[in-house]
PDB file of all heavy atoms in Angstrom:
ATOM      1  N   TYR A1235      87.194-172.653 105.079  1.00  0.00           N
ATOM      2  CA  TYR A1235      85.800-172.315 105.108  1.00  0.00           C
ATOM      3  C   TYR A1235      85.508-171.207 104.129  1.00  0.00           C
ATOM      4  O   TYR A1235      84.437-171.222 103.462  1.00  0.00           O
ATOM      5  CB  TYR A1235      85.378-171.849 106.549  1.00  0.00           C
ATOM      6  CG  TYR A1235      85.234-172.981 107.572  1.00  0.00           C
ATOM      7  CD1 TYR A1235      85.575-172.756 108.919  1.00  0.00           C
ATOM      8  CD2 TYR A1235      84.749-174.197 107.173  1.00  0.00           C
ATOM      9  CE1 TYR A1235      85.458-173.834 109.735  1.00  0.00           C
ATOM     10  CE2 TYR A1235      84.627-175.247 108.033  1.00  0.00           C
ATOM     11  CZ  TYR A1235      84.922-175.072 109.359  1.00  0.00           C
ATOM     12  OH  TYR A1235      84.792-176.087 110.338  1.00  0.00           O
ATOM     13  N   GLU A1236      86.464-170.235 103.992  1.00  0.00           N
ATOM     14  CA  GLU A1236      86.201-169.109 103.075  1.00  0.00           C
ATOM     15  C   GLU A1236      86.248-169.610 101.678  1.00  0.00           C
ATOM     16  O   GLU A1236      85.425-169.230 100.799  1.00  0.00           O
ATOM     17  CB  GLU A1236      87.266-168.030 103.332  1.00  0.00           C
ATOM     18  CG  GLU A1236      87.137-167.316 104.638  1.00  0.00           C
ATOM     19  CD  GLU A1236      88.228-166.335 104.923  1.00  0.00           C
ATOM     20  OE1 GLU A1236      89.289-166.542 104.360  1.00  0.00           O
ATOM     21  OE2 GLU A1236      87.999-165.450 105.778  1.00  0.00           O
ATOM     22  N   ALA A1237      87.231-170.519 101.307  1.00  0.00           N
ATOM     23  CA  ALA A1237      87.362-171.074  99.997  1.00  0.00           C
ATOM     24  C   ALA A1237      86.107-171.869  99.692  1.00  0.00           C
ATOM     25  O   ALA A1237      85.507-171.807  98.493  1.00  0.00           O
ATOM     26  CB  ALA A1237      88.560-171.868  99.867  1.00  0.00           C
ATOM     27  N   ALA A1238      85.581-172.663 100.649  1.00  0.00           N
ATOM     28  CA  ALA A1238      84.338-173.443 100.372  1.00  0.00           C
ATOM     29  C   ALA A1238      83.166-172.526 100.147  1.00  0.00           C
ATOM     30  O   ALA A1238      82.368-172.844  99.229  1.00  0.00           O
ATOM     31  CB  ALA A1238      84.109-174.285 101.646  1.00  0.00           C
ATOM     32  N   PHE A1239      83.012-171.429 100.880  1.00  0.00           N
ATOM     33  CA  PHE A1239      81.882-170.579 100.615  1.00  0.00           C
ATOM     34  C   PHE A1239      82.002-169.881  99.233  1.00  0.00           C
ATOM     35  O   PHE A1239      81.030-169.824  98.504  1.00  0.00           O
ATOM     36  CB  PHE A1239      81.783-169.462 101.709  1.00  0.00           C
ATOM     37  CG  PHE A1239      80.537-168.657 101.536  1.00  0.00           C
ATOM     38  CD1 PHE A1239      79.370-168.996 102.177  1.00  0.00           C
ATOM     39  CD2 PHE A1239      80.580-167.533 100.744  1.00  0.00           C
ATOM     40  CE1 PHE A1239      78.203-168.297 101.992  1.00  0.00           C
ATOM     41  CE2 PHE A1239      79.435-166.756 100.598  1.00  0.00           C
ATOM     42  CZ  PHE A1239      78.268-167.116 101.214  1.00  0.00           C
ATOM     43  N   LEU A1240      83.138-169.450  98.938  1.00  0.00           N
ATOM     44  CA  LEU A1240      83.253-168.794  97.555  1.00  0.00           C
ATOM     45  C   LEU A1240      83.055-169.771  96.408  1.00  0.00           C
ATOM     46  O   LEU A1240      82.583-169.382  95.449  1.00  0.00           O
ATOM     47  CB  LEU A1240      84.687-168.218  97.473  1.00  0.00           C
ATOM     48  CG  LEU A1240      85.031-166.995  98.341  1.00  0.00           C
ATOM     49  CD1 LEU A1240      86.435-166.559  98.162  1.00  0.00           C
ATOM     50  CD2 LEU A1240      84.101-165.816  98.113  1.00  0.00           C
ATOM     51  N   ALA A1241      83.423-171.005  96.649  1.00  0.00           N
ATOM     52  CA  ALA A1241      83.291-172.003  95.519  1.00  0.00           C
ATOM     53  C   ALA A1241      81.930-172.616  95.490  1.00  0.00           C
ATOM     54  O   ALA A1241      81.427-172.984  94.388  1.00  0.00           O
ATOM     55  CB  ALA A1241      84.373-173.137  95.706  1.00  0.00           C
ATOM     56  N   GLY A1242      81.267-172.798  96.668  1.00  0.00           N
ATOM     57  CA  GLY A1242      79.996-173.508  96.628  1.00  0.00           C
ATOM     58  C   GLY A1242      78.888-173.018  97.575  1.00  0.00           C
ATOM     59  O   GLY A1242      77.883-173.653  97.683  1.00  0.00           O
ATOM     60  N   GLY A1243      79.163-171.910  98.328  1.00  0.00           N
ATOM     61  CA  GLY A1243      78.126-171.340  99.161  1.00  0.00           C
ATOM     62  C   GLY A1243      77.993-172.075 100.515  1.00  0.00           C
ATOM     63  O   GLY A1243      78.942-172.850 100.867  1.00  0.00           O
ATOM     64  N   PRO A1244      76.969-171.749 101.258  1.00  0.00           N
ATOM     65  CA  PRO A1244      76.899-172.287 102.611  1.00  0.00           C
ATOM     66  C   PRO A1244      76.815-173.738 102.759  1.00  0.00           C
ATOM     67  O   PRO A1244      77.283-174.365 103.659  1.00  0.00           O
ATOM     68  CB  PRO A1244      75.569-171.552 103.111  1.00  0.00           C
ATOM     69  CG  PRO A1244      74.860-171.121 101.948  1.00  0.00           C
ATOM     70  CD  PRO A1244      75.870-170.812 100.901  1.00  0.00           C
ATOM     71  N   HIS A1245      76.162-174.439 101.737  1.00  0.00           N
ATOM     72  CA  HIS A1245      76.115-175.923 101.801  1.00  0.00           C
ATOM     73  C   HIS A1245      77.448-176.524 101.667  1.00  0.00           C
ATOM     74  O   HIS A1245      77.793-177.540 102.227  1.00  0.00           O
ATOM     75  CB  HIS A1245      75.178-176.410 100.709  1.00  0.00           C
ATOM     76  CG  HIS A1245      73.763-176.370 101.144  1.00  0.00           C
ATOM     77  ND1 HIS A1245      72.976-175.126 100.993  1.00  0.00           N
ATOM     78  CD2 HIS A1245      72.847-177.263 101.596  1.00  0.00           C
ATOM     79  CE1 HIS A1245      71.752-175.373 101.359  1.00  0.00           C
ATOM     80  NE2 HIS A1245      71.634-176.661 101.833  1.00  0.00           N
ATOM     81  N   ARG A1246      78.363-175.897 100.904  1.00  0.00           N
ATOM     82  CA  ARG A1246      79.706-176.426 100.769  1.00  0.00           C
ATOM     83  C   ARG A1246      80.469-176.240 102.058  1.00  0.00           C
ATOM     84  O   ARG A1246      81.269-177.108 102.428  1.00  0.00           O
ATOM     85  CB  ARG A1246      80.371-175.602  99.606  1.00  0.00           C
ATOM     86  CG  ARG A1246      81.835-176.081  99.292  1.00  0.00           C
ATOM     87  CD  ARG A1246      81.860-177.434  98.664  1.00  0.00           C
ATOM     88  NE  ARG A1246      81.198-177.412  97.326  1.00  0.00           N
ATOM     89  CZ  ARG A1246      81.766-176.912  96.149  1.00  0.00           C
ATOM     90  NH1 ARG A1246      82.968-176.439  96.171  1.00  0.00           N
ATOM     91  NH2 ARG A1246      81.051-176.965  95.095  1.00  0.00           N
ATOM     92  N   VAL A1247      80.241-175.180 102.809  1.00  0.00           N
ATOM     93  CA  VAL A1247      80.883-175.024 104.047  1.00  0.00           C
ATOM     94  C   VAL A1247      80.416-176.120 105.053  1.00  0.00           C
ATOM     95  O   VAL A1247      81.213-176.704 105.813  1.00  0.00           O
ATOM     96  CB  VAL A1247      80.558-173.630 104.688  1.00  0.00           C
ATOM     97  CG1 VAL A1247      81.162-173.436 106.053  1.00  0.00           C
ATOM     98  CG2 VAL A1247      81.020-172.491 103.753  1.00  0.00           C
ATOM     99  N   ALA A1248      79.155-176.346 105.059  1.00  0.00           N
ATOM    100  CA  ALA A1248      78.607-177.415 105.939  1.00  0.00           C
ATOM    101  C   ALA A1248      79.197-178.803 105.547  1.00  0.00           C
ATOM    102  O   ALA A1248      79.618-179.625 106.399  1.00  0.00           O
ATOM    103  CB  ALA A1248      77.068-177.456 105.855  1.00  0.00           C
ATOM    104  N   GLU A1249      79.316-179.088 104.210  1.00  0.00           N
ATOM    105  CA  GLU A1249      79.892-180.354 103.830  1.00  0.00           C
ATOM    106  C   GLU A1249      81.395-180.443 104.209  1.00  0.00           C
ATOM    107  O   GLU A1249      81.850-181.503 104.631  1.00  0.00           O
ATOM    108  CB  GLU A1249      79.782-180.437 102.319  1.00  0.00           C
ATOM    109  CG  GLU A1249      78.313-180.697 101.829  1.00  0.00           C
ATOM    110  CD  GLU A1249      78.233-180.726 100.334  1.00  0.00           C
ATOM    111  OE1 GLU A1249      79.088-180.237  99.641  1.00  0.00           O
ATOM    112  OE2 GLU A1249      77.091-181.196  99.885  1.00  0.00           O
ATOM    113  N   LEU A1250      82.063-179.291 104.100  1.00  0.00           N
ATOM    114  CA  LEU A1250      83.486-179.270 104.512  1.00  0.00           C
ATOM    115  C   LEU A1250      83.657-179.616 105.960  1.00  0.00           C
ATOM    116  O   LEU A1250      84.470-180.399 106.393  1.00  0.00           O
ATOM    117  CB  LEU A1250      84.123-177.942 104.171  1.00  0.00           C
ATOM    118  CG  LEU A1250      85.535-177.733 104.638  1.00  0.00           C
ATOM    119  CD1 LEU A1250      86.439-178.611 103.936  1.00  0.00           C
ATOM    120  CD2 LEU A1250      85.978-176.254 104.419  1.00  0.00           C
ATOM    121  N   ALA A1251      82.787-179.036 106.799  1.00  0.00           N
ATOM    122  CA  ALA A1251      82.820-179.341 108.268  1.00  0.00           C
ATOM    123  C   ALA A1251      82.563-180.797 108.469  1.00  0.00           C
ATOM    124  O   ALA A1251      83.215-181.395 109.354  1.00  0.00           O
ATOM    125  CB  ALA A1251      81.829-178.442 108.991  1.00  0.00           C
ATOM    126  N   LEU A1252      81.586-181.369 107.816  1.00  0.00           N
ATOM    127  CA  LEU A1252      81.245-182.782 108.045  1.00  0.00           C
ATOM    128  C   LEU A1252      82.413-183.662 107.682  1.00  0.00           C
ATOM    129  O   LEU A1252      82.792-184.613 108.324  1.00  0.00           O
ATOM    130  CB  LEU A1252      79.993-183.188 107.174  1.00  0.00           C
ATOM    131  CG  LEU A1252      78.671-182.631 107.634  1.00  0.00           C
ATOM    132  CD1 LEU A1252      77.561-182.732 106.571  1.00  0.00           C
ATOM    133  CD2 LEU A1252      78.221-183.409 108.933  1.00  0.00           C
ATOM    134  N   VAL A1253      83.018-183.409 106.465  1.00  0.00           N
ATOM    135  CA  VAL A1253      84.196-184.211 106.015  1.00  0.00           C
ATOM    136  C   VAL A1253      85.354-184.040 106.924  1.00  0.00           C
ATOM    137  O   VAL A1253      86.031-185.004 107.212  1.00  0.00           O
ATOM    138  CB  VAL A1253      84.487-183.815 104.559  1.00  0.00           C
ATOM    139  CG1 VAL A1253      85.806-184.564 104.085  1.00  0.00           C
ATOM    140  CG2 VAL A1253      83.383-184.179 103.570  1.00  0.00           C
ATOM    141  N   SER A1254      85.587-182.834 107.335  1.00  0.00           N
ATOM    142  CA  SER A1254      86.693-182.588 108.252  1.00  0.00           C
ATOM    143  C   SER A1254      86.558-183.383 109.547  1.00  0.00           C
ATOM    144  O   SER A1254      87.494-184.045 110.027  1.00  0.00           O
ATOM    145  CB  SER A1254      86.838-181.069 108.540  1.00  0.00           C
ATOM    146  OG  SER A1254      87.857-180.784 109.509  1.00  0.00           O
ATOM    147  N   MET A1255      85.341-183.351 110.143  1.00  0.00           N
ATOM    148  CA  MET A1255      85.125-184.043 111.428  1.00  0.00           C
ATOM    149  C   MET A1255      85.225-185.571 111.160  1.00  0.00           C
ATOM    150  O   MET A1255      85.691-186.317 112.043  1.00  0.00           O
ATOM    151  CB  MET A1255      83.822-183.692 111.928  1.00  0.00           C
ATOM    152  CG  MET A1255      83.729-182.209 112.311  1.00  0.00           C
ATOM    153  SD  MET A1255      82.045-181.711 112.838  1.00  0.00           S
ATOM    154  CE  MET A1255      81.898-182.398 114.477  1.00  0.00           C
ATOM    155  N   HIS A1256      84.815-185.991 110.003  1.00  0.00           N
ATOM    156  CA  HIS A1256      84.864-187.454 109.674  1.00  0.00           C
ATOM    157  C   HIS A1256      86.245-187.907 109.536  1.00  0.00           C
ATOM    158  O   HIS A1256      86.659-188.993 110.114  1.00  0.00           O
ATOM    159  CB  HIS A1256      84.007-187.704 108.362  1.00  0.00           C
ATOM    160  CG  HIS A1256      84.199-189.175 107.859  1.00  0.00           C
ATOM    161  ND1 HIS A1256      83.586-190.172 108.401  1.00  0.00           N
ATOM    162  CD2 HIS A1256      85.020-189.604 106.907  1.00  0.00           C
ATOM    163  CE1 HIS A1256      83.851-191.289 107.742  1.00  0.00           C
ATOM    164  NE2 HIS A1256      84.722-190.958 106.836  1.00  0.00           N
ATOM    165  N   LEU A1257      87.107-187.155 108.885  1.00  0.00           N
ATOM    166  CA  LEU A1257      88.515-187.556 108.611  1.00  0.00           C
ATOM    167  C   LEU A1257      89.328-187.517 109.889  1.00  0.00           C
ATOM    168  O   LEU A1257      90.308-188.297 110.081  1.00  0.00           O
ATOM    169  CB  LEU A1257      89.188-186.639 107.613  1.00  0.00           C
ATOM    170  CG  LEU A1257      88.604-186.752 106.110  1.00  0.00           C
ATOM    171  CD1 LEU A1257      89.293-185.746 105.223  1.00  0.00           C
ATOM    172  CD2 LEU A1257      88.828-188.128 105.558  1.00  0.00           C
ATOM    173  N   ARG A1258      88.904-186.623 110.829  1.00  0.00           N
ATOM    174  CA  ARG A1258      89.566-186.581 112.149  1.00  0.00           C
ATOM    175  C   ARG A1258      89.009-187.410 113.275  1.00  0.00           C
ATOM    176  O   ARG A1258      89.190-187.244 114.405  1.00  0.00           O
ATOM    177  CB  ARG A1258      89.726-185.080 112.550  1.00  0.00           C
ATOM    178  CG  ARG A1258      90.712-184.326 111.603  1.00  0.00           C
ATOM    179  CD  ARG A1258      90.687-182.851 111.945  1.00  0.00           C
ATOM    180  NE  ARG A1258      91.856-182.237 111.272  1.00  0.00           N
ATOM    181  CZ  ARG A1258      91.701-181.637 110.056  1.00  0.00           C
ATOM    182  NH1 ARG A1258      90.504-181.713 109.443  1.00  0.00           N
ATOM    183  NH2 ARG A1258      92.667-181.122 109.469  1.00  0.00           N
ATOM    184  N   ARG A1259      88.131-188.288 112.804  1.00  0.00           N
ATOM    185  CA  ARG A1259      87.424-189.270 113.747  1.00  0.00           C
ATOM    186  C   ARG A1259      86.608-188.582 114.834  1.00  0.00           C
ATOM    187  O   ARG A1259      86.496-189.091 115.868  1.00  0.00           O
ATOM    188  CB  ARG A1259      88.474-190.184 114.371  1.00  0.00           C
ATOM    189  CG  ARG A1259      89.362-190.940 113.410  1.00  0.00           C
ATOM    190  CD  ARG A1259      88.495-191.976 112.651  1.00  0.00           C
ATOM    191  NE  ARG A1259      89.326-192.823 111.851  1.00  0.00           N
ATOM    192  CZ  ARG A1259      89.662-192.629 110.568  1.00  0.00           C
ATOM    193  NH1 ARG A1259      89.254-191.560 109.942  1.00  0.00           N
ATOM    194  NH2 ARG A1259      90.353-193.503 109.860  1.00  0.00           N
ATOM    195  N   ARG A1260      86.107-187.434 114.519  1.00  0.00           N
ATOM    196  CA  ARG A1260      85.222-186.732 115.448  1.00  0.00           C
ATOM    197  C   ARG A1260      83.763-187.012 115.119  1.00  0.00           C
ATOM    198  O   ARG A1260      82.815-186.731 115.890  1.00  0.00           O
ATOM    199  CB  ARG A1260      85.531-185.205 115.402  1.00  0.00           C
ATOM    200  CG  ARG A1260      86.950-184.865 115.652  1.00  0.00           C
ATOM    201  CD  ARG A1260      87.173-183.436 115.431  1.00  0.00           C
ATOM    202  NE  ARG A1260      86.711-182.597 116.476  1.00  0.00           N
ATOM    203  CZ  ARG A1260      87.433-182.409 117.519  1.00  0.00           C
ATOM    204  NH1 ARG A1260      88.644-182.919 117.662  1.00  0.00           N
ATOM    205  NH2 ARG A1260      86.971-181.642 118.473  1.00  0.00           N
ATOM    206  N   LEU A1261      83.563-187.549 113.959  1.00  0.00           N
ATOM    207  CA  LEU A1261      82.225-187.810 113.404  1.00  0.00           C
ATOM    208  C   LEU A1261      82.312-189.031 112.392  1.00  0.00           C
ATOM    209  O   LEU A1261      83.386-189.149 111.774  1.00  0.00           O
ATOM    210  CB  LEU A1261      81.713-186.563 112.579  1.00  0.00           C
ATOM    211  CG  LEU A1261      80.236-186.474 112.336  1.00  0.00           C
ATOM    212  CD1 LEU A1261      79.455-186.232 113.649  1.00  0.00           C
ATOM    213  CD2 LEU A1261      79.900-185.307 111.406  1.00  0.00           C
ATOM    214  N   LEU A1262      81.313-189.841 112.450  1.00  0.00           N
ATOM    215  CA  LEU A1262      81.305-190.992 111.550  1.00  0.00           C
ATOM    216  C   LEU A1262      80.196-190.709 110.518  1.00  0.00           C
ATOM    217  O   LEU A1262      79.009-190.564 110.858  1.00  0.00           O
ATOM    218  CB  LEU A1262      81.015-192.274 112.275  1.00  0.00           C
ATOM    219  CG  LEU A1262      80.800-193.548 111.377  1.00  0.00           C
ATOM    220  CD1 LEU A1262      82.025-193.816 110.587  1.00  0.00           C
ATOM    221  CD2 LEU A1262      80.432-194.730 112.242  1.00  0.00           C
ATOM    222  N   LEU A1263      80.581-190.714 109.214  1.00  0.00           N
ATOM    223  CA  LEU A1263      79.647-190.583 108.156  1.00  0.00           C
ATOM    224  C   LEU A1263      79.537-191.840 107.470  1.00  0.00           C
ATOM    225  O   LEU A1263      80.430-192.344 106.767  1.00  0.00           O
ATOM    226  CB  LEU A1263      80.124-189.477 107.119  1.00  0.00           C
ATOM    227  CG  LEU A1263      80.323-188.072 107.643  1.00  0.00           C
ATOM    228  CD1 LEU A1263      80.786-187.209 106.526  1.00  0.00           C
ATOM    229  CD2 LEU A1263      79.117-187.570 108.252  1.00  0.00           C
ATOM    230  N   ALA A1264      78.400-192.548 107.641  1.00  0.00           N
ATOM    231  CA  ALA A1264      78.146-193.857 107.065  1.00  0.00           C
ATOM    232  C   ALA A1264      77.649-193.668 105.601  1.00  0.00           C
ATOM    233  O   ALA A1264      76.946-192.758 105.308  1.00  0.00           O
ATOM    234  CB  ALA A1264      77.161-194.639 107.893  1.00  0.00           C
TER     235      ALA A1264
END
């Protein structure tokens, strides 16, 4: 999360969370 914020700000953190949940089958991103 810290690396994501430093590299791309708050939207990058949100995208990281979305991708993490998708890869771990906690969320489906169509």
Side-chain angles (χ1 to χ4, degrees):
Y1235 286 145
E1236 290 172 341
F1239 185 89
L1240 293 178
H1245 280 80
R1246 183 72 61 80
V1247 177
E1249 289 174 345
L1250 175 65
L1252 286 166
V1253 173
S1254 176
M1255 297 173 73
H1256 172 77
L1257 293 178
R1258 292 179 169 86
R1259 303 294 188 268
R1260 308 170 74 85
L1261 198 69
L1262 174 63
L1263 301 180

